[in-house]
């Protein structure tokens, strides 16, 4: 079982890394890009006999407490078998 | 239309960031974690009248050339409407 977590800066927060990627894409000739957001991806491999519901709750807490900064970041947590 | 790119270190490559997250989770009492991989997530917003096939080709090239380091990283590119 795996947990996939995507952490992105909130839309209202400046994202200089995203802006840099957008500029670089424009320089490469790819100009049809309206915005770029750069975030983090965390993949957590869990033991096979973990309870998905409990894992979700524990990881949701972990995301909120230390994997993301909820003031400036959003996260999506997905548990896949 | 959006492109979602997930860049992860190859399995054979040391991932100290992932190891750190795994240790931190263990300290928080969540011990049922067998491995953690930390990567990058890039979301690219494209103009609405972009051709998905062309966008995929261009971004695939961009991923290979400068968004990821193909020697030590894998990437997944997904185009969503």
């Amino acid at each position: 079982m795996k947990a996939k977590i995507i952490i992105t800066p909130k839309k209202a927060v400046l994202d200089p890394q995203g802006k840099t990627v957008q500029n670089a894409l424009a320089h490469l000739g790819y100009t049809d890009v309206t915005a770029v957001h750069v975030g983090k991806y965390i993949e957590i491999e869990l033991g096979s006999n973990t309870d998905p519901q409990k894992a979700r709750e524990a990881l949701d807490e972990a995301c909120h407490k230390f994997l993301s900064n909820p003031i400036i970041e959003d996260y999506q947590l997905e548990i896949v078998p």
Side-chain angles (χ1 to χ4, degrees), chain A:
Chain A
M1 202 164 63
K2 272 184 191 176
K4 296 180 177 187
I5 302 164
I6 288 174
I7 300 168
T8 44
K10 283 186 199 282
K11 300 285 166 185
V13 173
L14 273 182
D15 181 1
Q17 220 184 337
K19 199 70 200 158
T20 306
V21 171
Q22 189 177 351
N23 289 343
L25 284 170
H27 279 292
L28 275 186
Y30 201 72
T31 48
D32 195 18
V33 170
T34 53
V36 178
H37 308 283
V38 176
K40 270 177 288 186
Y41 173 75
I42 303 175
E43 196 176 273
I44 298 178
E45 286 175 30
L46 301 163
S48 52
N49 46 14
T50 311
D51 176 39
Q53 189 54 38
K54 277 193 187 155
R56 174 176 292 278
E57 282 166 22
L59 289 175
D60 208 50
E61 196 191 352
C63 280
H64 207 79
K65 273 193 184 163
F66 90 109
L67 293 175
S68 80
N69 177 348
I71 297 168
I72 56 165
E73 291 170 329
D74 288 321
Y75 66 85
Q76 293 164 43
L77 169 64
E78 191 193 348
I79 308 275
V80 290

